[in-house]
Amino acid sequence: MSVYENVRHLLQEIPENVQVIAAAKTRSLDEVRQSIEAGIRHIGENYVQELELIGKNLEPAYRSQITLHMIGHLQSNKINKALQYCDAIQTIDSISTADKINQKVQNFRSSPLPVLIEINIANEEAKNGANPSIQEIVTIAEALSQMENLRLEGLMTLGPWDHTAEELRPYFKKMKSFFEQLKTLNLPNTKIQTLSMGMSDSYHVAIEEGASMVRLGTVLFGKRT
Ligand SMILES: *Cc1c(COP(=O)(O)O)cnc(C)c1O
């Protein structure tokens, strides 16, 4: 099936209140255009280089229809370039990185930048993300609520790679619990509405466990080569 057909199919299957991010790493500009023509309104990129490719080359008629999310780890030396091209960052995992971003946002946009806190939900050594403890999340969230150029909107996680969807379920449940606790804090300058979790192999389970946003690559674009 074509990208266009895959996207149409997927958007029909997924509940209307769940947003779909097309995870576009390694995909061509033409594949990205096709996904937008089929109804995708959120694109995610892992690397600043690929954000730039889209930011520079996607025609305004397409670009204006989408929100472009940074969904990969952001290195401090690439913050300027990321801010130049993206509309939201899902991978905030420390107060110090958030602080650096906060100081630069106004050079690129006039409204606060929507951000999510990335959680290393299985506490894996090799993964980025904040520790999976409510104390840690509250500490970061409180700091973010003081940063006037950022607006905290929720949480994001990747989850362990080598797990089946069912094995991921307990981690998704834990994320949902953190998300609900974050909401009840009622922190100023936040709008807690996004729980970003689930990918091609796990999005069904993630949605059952409360994801409001899923990030899909393979099921939309085919296998990465
Ligand atoms: C690649 C990627 C996805 C999508 O992965 P698929 O398994 O191809 O659906 C989602 N989120 C992030 C952060 C990714 O890097």
Side-chain angles (χ1 to χ4, degrees):
M1 281 206 289
S2 66
V3 171
Y4 185 89
E5 287 170 318
N6 288 343
V7 170
R8 298 302 292 189
H9 207 79
L10 225 293
L11 292 180
Q12 268 163 26
E13 171 197 336
I14 285 185
E16 257 177 45
N17 59 337
V18 176
Q19 295 178 308
V20 175
I21 294 197
K25 58 177 176 274
T26 76
R27 311 301 179 174
S28 71
L29 214 50
D30 199 51
E31 289 173 294
V32 169
R33 287 192 198 97
Q34 270 190 58
S35 73
I36 297 169
E37 281 168 9
I40 286 292
R41 293 296 172 264
H42 299 270
I43 303 279
E45 286 292 2
N46 287 65
Y47 303 104
V48 171
Q49 228 174 329
E50 289 193 83
L51 269 184
E52 184 178 17
L53 193 84
I54 290 202
K56 278 192 173 157
N57 299 303
L58 193 63
E59 298 78 4
Y62 289 97
R63 181 66 183 88
S64 63
Q65 293 193 64
I66 58 157
T67 302
L68 192 50
H69 302 257
M70 179 61 181
I71 60 174
H73 185 66
L74 182 54
Q75 292 166 273
S76 296
N77 62 346
K78 304 224 168 119
I79 290 173
N80 276 320
K81 198 152 253 179
L83 286 174
Q84 190 175 344
Y85 297 109
C86 76
D87 307 311
I89 297 179
Q90 298 210 341
T91 49
I92 302 290
D93 63 1
S94 74
I95 295 173
S96 67
T97 306
D99 201 38
K100 286 181 196 145
I101 298 170
N102 182 51
Q103 287 178 32
K104 293 177 170 168
V105 169
Q106 284 188 311
N107 298 335
F108 299 95
R109 51 187 289 141
S110 53
S111 59
L113 182 76
V115 298
L116 306 182
I117 302 173
E118 180 180 4
I119 311 297
N120 181 2
I121 193 65
N123 218 348
E124 293 169 280
E125 192 111 351
K127 278 249 166 71
N128 295 299
N131 291 335
S133 89
I134 191 63
Q135 290 84 351
E136 172 90 354
I137 294 167
V138 170
T139 302
I140 298 176
E142 283 177 345
L144 286 172
S145 81
Q146 303 293 315
M147 298 181 191
E148 56 186 16
N149 301 318
L150 302 183
R151 186 173 70 176
L152 179 61
E153 295 194 349
L155 302 177
M156 176 269 209
T157 199
L158 276 173
W161 295 124
D162 52 353
H163 283 42
T164 64
E166 277 308 324
E167 289 167 343
L168 287 169
R169 190 185 291 278
Y171 296 113
F172 292 150
K173 273 193 203 301
K174 204 164 164 190
M175 284 295 294
K176 172 72 168 168
S177 157
F178 288 146
F179 180 66
E180 291 305 325
Q181 291 174 75
L182 181 57
K183 268 190 203 166
T184 61
L185 296 177
N186 278 317
L187 291 170
N189 183 37
T190 65
K191 189 174 181 204
I192 308 303
Q193 59 186 3
T194 303
L195 181 55
S196 171
M197 59 186 191
M199 318 200 321
S200 291
D201 290 335
S202 60
Y203 69 92
H204 290 109
V205 172
I207 291 170
E208 283 169 16
E209 297 303 334
S212 73
M213 183 178 260
V214 293
R215 305 178 312 269
L216 306 178
T218 311
V219 285
L220 303 182
F221 297 112
K223 273 210 179 333
R224 280 180 293 277
T225 46

